[in-house]
Every structure is written in structure tokens, then in C-alpha cells.
Amino acid sequence: MIKIKTQEEIEILKEGGRRHSSILKKLAKKVAVGVSTEELENLAVKLIKEGGDTPAFLNYKPYGAKRPFPTALCVSVNNEIVHGIPTESPHIMQEGDVVSIDLGLIHQGMITDSAITVGVGKVSEEDRKLIEHCKESLMLGIKQARGGNHIGDISDAIGSFARSHGYGICAGLSGHGVGYKVHEDPYVPNEGRKGSGEKLKPGMVIAIEPMLTRGTDKIVLAKDGYTYKTADGSNASHFEHTIAITDGAPIILTK
Ligand code: MG
Ligand code: MG
């Protein structure tokens, strides 16, 4: 069931989103050759604490998972798509790496979810384009997230753009409702038919999150039970914003 947020809750989400994006920007600045993914995690925990807030992913147990998620951040490098664990076999970043950072933040009981992908030093032209196009597909999806439109309008905008540039769209991974919990209804797929799915109503809060690859749609789950990788080893990019639906253009809460 889709839960509509009150105006008061949306105000809390706005402030949470403001804090959220400020943390993500600081994490992006920290990304450099020789820095480990664990250092990103430590910085995230410090910044969240300083703001008096709580990480949403730490100890979160998704349906079907064998253990709760062990860190505040998901950091996924190169062929890792999402849900990489930055403290278990931490990765030392190297020139040309593609690093996706995903954060969930709880501010006054309300949750925002947002992700960015950053290149380490100079990345290949193909990876630079992948990152840029993934971000662009998110913005195209957000543009369709208007009251009266349907979930399928968002899915179509992301999927059509991604396919036209030859990218893979990670099968089985999608956006979602958010706010009271990390994952709520509805699913927000990254490919779909215009006009299909739930109708968007003011007060709905959703996370839109294209996950694109330079190759396959196929994903594999690593032994850690969380990290999803591309089946063909191709690099992936991930961008995500939490937005609130209104009668007109949506509010990008994590901008
Ligand atoms: Mg996320
Ligand atoms: Mg999400």
C-alpha cells in the first residue's frame, strides 16, 4: 500500500534531504587515489553523528536477507552495481575506478535515500559517458514524476534513454517508495511502458534510481549476500534522488 506523507512530514524530509546531500557532496570530495572505501564509511558515520541523525542502512534487514546490513554506506566499485560493503575487504581506490556511493539517512524519524557515482582521477571516456548518462537518465525520470502521471512514465523516460545509448539496465533492481521505511510501495522500475502502473499523487515520496551498465542487464549476488555485480564484469553507475510528488514538478528532497 502506498502511504501519503503529510505536509509536516515532507518538511522534515526536506531538511533531512538537505543534510543528506551535503554529506554526499563531502563524501564525493573525499574520493581520490589511495583512499579506501572504509575511510568513506568512517567519514559518513562521523558526519551523520555530528548532525544528530542516524544511518538508515546500518542494521537494516531487507526481506530475505540472512543478516542485517553492516554499514551506513553502500560503496560499489567498477563492476559492483549496488550494496557493496565498504568495511569487508575495503577497496583502495585507483585511478580510473568508478565508485558509487549510496546513503540512507534518518532525520527526525523520516528516511531519505540518495546515491551518486564518482570517477577516481581520470576515468575512461566510456566510463565518463556512463556516469554522465546515468545521471541524465535520473533527471529525465524525475521530470516525469508529476502528479497525475504514472510510475510507467518515469520508467519509460529512464529506460528509453538508457537503451538509446546502448546501456544495460540491471534486471530486478528498481526504485521504491521511501520515508517511513527504507523500502515502501510502490516499485519504481527503470524500464517500462508510458501510462502504466500506479498513478502519482501529491504526498507520495519515492526514490528514483537508475542502475546502468556498459554491458549486460544480468546481475549476480556476491558471497557476502549483499553486493550485486554485473554478470559480464562491465562497469556500472548508480544515481538516486528521493523526491516528493506535488501537483506540478516534484520536489527533489536530496538535491
Ligand atoms: Mg539508495
Ligand atoms: Mg533506494
Side-chain angles (χ1 to χ4, degrees):
M1 207 189 82
I2 299 174
K3 290 177 180 150
I4 299 293
K5 277 73 184 178
T6 65
Q7 195 50 49
E8 198 185 354
E9 288 166 339
I10 292 195
E11 290 306 318
I12 294 171
L13 285 163
K14 271 187 196 166
E15 175 57 21
R18 196 189 60 73
R19 292 162 177 237
H20 193 146
S21 68
S22 143
I23 293 171
L24 270 185
K25 277 181 194 131
K26 285 176 184 155
L27 294 172
K29 268 196 191 148
K30 175 93 181 162
V31 168
V33 174
V35 174
S36 80
T37 51
E38 190 168 25
E39 288 174 70
L40 292 182
E41 165 71 11
N42 294 341
L43 177 60
V45 169
K46 179 177 166 275
L47 294 171
I48 294 166
K49 238 186 209 167
E50 278 172 7
D53 296 319
T54 314
F57 299 160
L58 179 67
N59 294 323
Y60 175 69
K61 197 162 176 274
Y63 179 77
K66 288 201 175 78
R67 57 169 179 156
F69 195 74
T71 52
L73 276 189
C74 301
V75 185
S76 311
V77 182
N78 295 332
N79 65 328
E80 297 173 349
I81 306 156
V82 285
H83 307 165
I85 301 168
T87 55
E88 296 177 8
S89 63
H91 177 87
I92 310 289
M93 291 183 254
Q94 292 169 33
E95 182 93 12
D97 280 345
V98 175
V99 179
S100 299
I101 306 169
D102 192 353
L103 173 68
L105 187 74
I106 311 175
H107 172 68
Q108 292 183 13
M110 300 296 294
I111 298 173
T112 46
D113 189 2
S114 178
I116 49 168
T117 299
V118 186
V120 182
K122 194 169 164 46
V123 296
S124 73
E125 182 59 11
E126 291 81 3
D127 284 334
R128 191 191 62 75
K129 277 190 185 152
L130 167 73
I131 294 170
E132 195 182 293
H133 285 146
C134 187
K135 190 176 189 180
E136 194 173 342
S137 75
L138 169 61
M139 297 321 289
L140 289 170
I142 289 173
K143 219 173 166 185
Q144 292 303 317
R146 303 171 72 89
N149 276 7
H150 292 254
I151 293 286
D153 295 313
I154 301 171
S155 309
D156 169 70
I158 295 170
S160 300
F161 178 81
R163 293 295 185 203
S164 77
H165 288 279
Y167 295 115
I169 299 171
C170 297
L173 299 174
S174 68
H176 50 91
V178 66
Y180 305 124
K181 291 197 284 182
V182 174
H183 292 114
E184 297 176 15
D185 287 338
Y187 278 109
V188 185
N190 291 314
E191 193 164 34
R193 205 163 34 82
K194 259 184 209 169
S196 68
E198 294 282 349
K199 198 173 192 173
L200 299 170
K201 293 192 187 90
M204 280 172 63
V205 174
I206 56 175
I208 304 177
E209 51 178 317
M211 288 154 271
L212 307 184
T213 83
R214 279 178 46 204
T216 184
D217 293 0
K218 285 195 188 127
I219 63 173
V220 288
L221 183 61
K223 281 201 187 87
D224 64 18
Y226 275 106
T227 312
Y228 281 106
K229 299 182 180 190
T230 56
D232 61 358
S234 62
N235 282 354
S237 174
H238 179 211
F239 279 89
E240 177 177 28
H241 272 309
T242 296
I243 64 156
I245 306 296
T246 74
D247 282 323
I251 305 163
I252 305 177
L253 297 162
T254 48
K255 197 169 188 169

